[in-house]
Amino acid sequence: MDNESFRQAGHQLIDWIADFRQSVPDRPVLAQVKPGEVNANMPAMPDAPQSMQSLLQALDEVVVPGVTQVQHPMHYGWFPSNASLASVLGDIACSGMGTLGISWESCPALTEVEEVTCDWMRQLTGLSEEWQGTIHDTASTACLVGILLARERASALCKNAGGLQALESPLRVYTTEQAHSSVAKAVQVAGIGDSNLVMVDVDPVTHAMNPQALADCIRKDKAAGYVPACVVACVGSTAVTAFDPLEAIADICEPENIWLHVDAAMAGSAMLLPECRHLWQGVERSDSMSWNPHKWLGTILDCSLFYVRDTEHLQQVLSTNPSYLRGSTDGQVTQYRDWGVPLGRRFRAMKLWFHLALDGPDALRARLRRDLENARWLADQVEAHPDWEMLTPLTLQTLAIRHNPGGKLSGDALDKHTLRWVGEINESGAAFMSPSVLDGLWMVRVSVGVESTEREHLEKLWALLQQHAESSV
Ligand code: PLP
């Protein structure tokens, strides 16, 4: 494709994206395709160049029906995965420039714009100057890096010798059942092993880590010859947005030299609001932490911020220095390949920059506050209704709810009822929520925070909830 054809096709594509986004509220939220349907409807493998028009037609006819509309104002599933159009433009600029991030020299701007945008985000979330950041693809990768740093600190850089296999005492990692599954995966991938992941008890009401239980686990493990290496604390857990008490956890980690990684994947966005920062009080005492602008804040995937204080340790753990990547500026510049697992990196900071520059922090803060108020409104309706229950206190913008008319249902019958009404709503395409198990029983998460969700959509959802739950008893 030459430049002129690109210009024309690019204009067509932008028009197509704008029309598509406009059409989202009129589409079903959950993709209404059957397994294999998109595959079966794909056109034949191209054997000659086709027109942009025919490609866009295939997007309309084959791809769009297979898209669950997470930008829909009635999407309340998982966590918000906003993709602000300002950040989409930054993503297009990133791809369009065709940069290569393998060393500072391969694209000095990629490195330095990332340094600056990570620092802007640090300031916007009220973190101290002690932190330096980078952008990973996901919070899962960020958690893996945090656990690798912990592993290497606890084992005096075992990677430089026989690795974990040469250690006499197994390392231990502590988290709670409320932590995201990416923590367990990172523990497996880091070679620490499932049986060395300790699930610490939580507070029965808030589902946040119980620090006394953590201290007890560590004491018992030390007596049994284990080496406590890492605590992964949740700032906004996945099912119920629990906030582990960081200050109390840091009090336990510091004297034991245990690495504290904070997973704020979802709730990091809230820290743009000074009134929410008490929820991560103590974060300054952690060793690494990450959060996802690609969730509630709305910088399009993939954009996960990872901050660390001891950058020397970070580079000791992750640096490589092959001759073919050396340059005359080595030692004077940041080499982000030494900050994570992959070598080649995208210019991810571009979408964050475009997002901040074109939307502006004030508008972002106003939207986050709107969502908090909307979630509070829905929680008030649920709490005021005798047949509905809020299962945990509302901490941010995600509700954990259940319908139990007259309190008569329990066990299997309650589970069946919950899954029936939420399944009906989801399958209808009118709204989407994610059911999840809490303390052994199904409940429904309503995660408020799609860019286009206004109070009228919450009112519509509340009517739908009552209608479907009452009729499915
Ligand atoms: N941590 C928490 C608390 C999450 O809720 C999630 C995803 O929802 C993750 C980590 C994983 O995020 P990612 O998809 O960026 O790996």
Side-chain angles (χ1 to χ4, degrees):
M1 179 176 266
D2 61 28
N3 248 338
E4 224 16 71
S5 316
F6 173 78
R7 192 186 304 280
Q8 282 173 21
H11 282 291
Q12 282 176 283
L13 178 63
I14 297 288
D15 282 343
W16 184 88
I17 294 172
D19 289 344
F20 166 73
R21 285 297 191 100
Q22 210 163 8
S23 76
V24 166
D26 303 323
R27 297 182 182 277
V29 187
L30 181 67
Q32 304 285 300
V33 291
K34 305 231 161 7
E37 196 174 322
V38 175
N39 183 323
N41 288 338
M42 277 292 286
M45 184 169 75
D47 55 3
Q50 291 169 6
S51 69
M52 186 66 180
Q53 202 48 48
S54 67
L55 202 49
L56 294 178
Q57 193 178 336
L59 288 193
D60 278 326
E61 290 170 3
V62 182
V63 175
V64 170
V67 174
T68 289
Q69 303 296 347
V70 296
Q71 310 307 326
H72 194 294
M74 294 295 283
H75 174 75
Y76 303 96
W78 308 301
F79 276 137
S81 188
N82 287 317
S84 70
L85 287 169
S87 69
V88 169
L89 289 176
D91 210 32
I92 294 172
C94 154
S95 299
M97 287 171 84
T99 55
L100 172 66
I102 55 175
S103 63
W104 179 87
E105 220 165 20
S106 74
C107 187
L110 184 154
T111 302
E112 297 190 12
V113 174
E114 187 161 325
E115 286 177 315
V116 172
T117 49
C118 288
D119 200 61
W120 286 343
M121 298 311 286
R122 176 191 69 73
Q123 293 173 49
L124 283 171
T125 50
L127 293 171
S128 76
E129 286 180 1
E130 276 192 41
W131 297 97
Q132 290 185 57
T134 186
I135 308 176
H136 287 312
D137 54 357
T138 58
S140 304
T141 301
C143 181
L144 173 62
V145 172
I147 287 177
L148 293 175
L149 299 181
R151 183 189 76 185
E152 293 305 310
R153 185 159 89 181
S155 66
L157 297 173
C158 73
K159 57 136 197 162
N160 294 337
L164 279 183
Q165 299 182 75
L167 297 187
E168 279 174 18
S169 311
L171 305 185
R172 298 286 248 192
V173 176
Y174 306 83
T175 193
T176 73
E177 294 281 3
Q178 295 300 319
H180 189 259
S181 57
S182 52
V183 178
K185 191 185 263 190
V187 165
Q188 290 177 353
V189 174
I192 290 170
D194 270 351
S195 61
N196 291 309
L197 177 60
V198 181
M199 295 299 179
V200 177
D201 284 350
V202 295
D203 177 283
V205 176
T206 63
H207 293 81
M209 186 183 281
N210 173 343
Q212 188 51 52
L214 172 66
D216 291 346
C217 289
I218 290 172
R219 187 175 32 77
K220 281 188 202 141
D221 276 355
K222 282 173 64 184
Y226 292 106
V227 176
C230 184
V231 174
V232 180
C234 298
V235 164
S237 64
T238 308
V240 297
T241 331
F243 288 81
D244 291 344
L246 298 184
E247 207 76 78
I249 293 171
D251 283 346
I252 297 164
C253 290
E254 274 170 9
E256 303 283 351
N257 203 23
I258 298 173
W259 190 276
L260 175 55
H261 175 73
V262 171
D263 175 8
M266 166 61 202
S269 302
M271 304 310 162
L272 267 80
L273 306 178
E275 66 270 28
C276 288
R277 290 188 195 145
H278 65 97
L279 290 167
W280 73 358
Q281 180 68 35
V283 69
E284 286 293 332
R285 295 170 65 194
S286 65
D287 296 284
S288 55
M289 74 94 166
S290 71
W291 71 274
N292 287 351
H294 69 224
K295 283 188 159 56
W296 189 17
L297 190 70
T299 310
I300 189 172
L301 257 165
D302 48 354
C303 188
S304 185
L305 289 164
F306 176 77
Y307 289 95
V308 66
R309 288 188 299 154
D310 187 349
T311 53
E312 203 180 311
H313 177 65
L314 173 79
Q315 289 169 78
Q316 273 181 332
V317 174
L318 292 167
S319 71
T320 53
N321 192 21
S323 53
Y324 44 82
L325 292 177
R326 288 185 201 150
S328 57
T329 54
D330 288 354
Q332 302 163 47
V333 294
T334 300
Q335 298 290 9
Y336 274 133
R337 67 168 182 270
D338 297 341
W339 287 51
V341 177
L343 168 62
R345 329 178 66 248
R346 302 182 71 232
F347 202 147
R348 290 201 187 93
M350 192 81 90
K351 54 192 163 198
L352 197 48
W353 180 13
F354 271 53
H355 190 193
L356 285 180
L358 295 175
D359 282 352
D362 282 346
L364 297 178
R365 282 189 282 258
R367 180 167 59 73
L368 298 172
R369 289 192 174 110
R370 174 204 65 180
D371 296 341
L372 291 174
E373 279 170 23
N374 280 342
R376 185 66 263 163
W377 177 85
L378 184 61
D380 289 345
Q381 312 312 305
V382 171
E383 277 163 358
H385 196 297
D387 293 342
W388 288 87
E389 209 188 341
M390 285 282 292
L391 300 171
T392 54
L394 181 68
T395 49
L396 223 51
Q397 44 57 264
T398 300
L399 292 77
I401 63 171
R402 206 179 276 139
H403 177 254
N404 191 354
K408 287 191 293 243
L409 298 174
S410 61
D412 269 2
L414 182 55
D415 272 353
K416 276 196 189 125
H417 173 60
T418 305
L419 293 176
R420 198 178 313 125
W421 68 254
V422 71
E424 264 177 35
I425 297 177
N426 287 348
E427 277 158 34
S428 76
F432 184 84
M433 291 153 285
S434 332
S436 177
V437 173
L438 181 68
D439 298 333
L441 280 176
W442 285 95
M443 54 88 173
V444 174
R445 295 170 68 264
V446 183
S447 194
V448 179
V450 172
E451 254 190 316
S452 55
T453 302
E454 300 288 352
R455 178 64 60 84
E456 66 188 271
H457 301 105
L458 270 298
E459 287 165 1
K460 210 163 133 191
L461 179 72
W462 179 226
L464 268 179
L465 289 173
Q466 293 177 88
Q467 180 199 326
H468 282 266
E470 279 161 26
S471 69
S472 79
V473 178

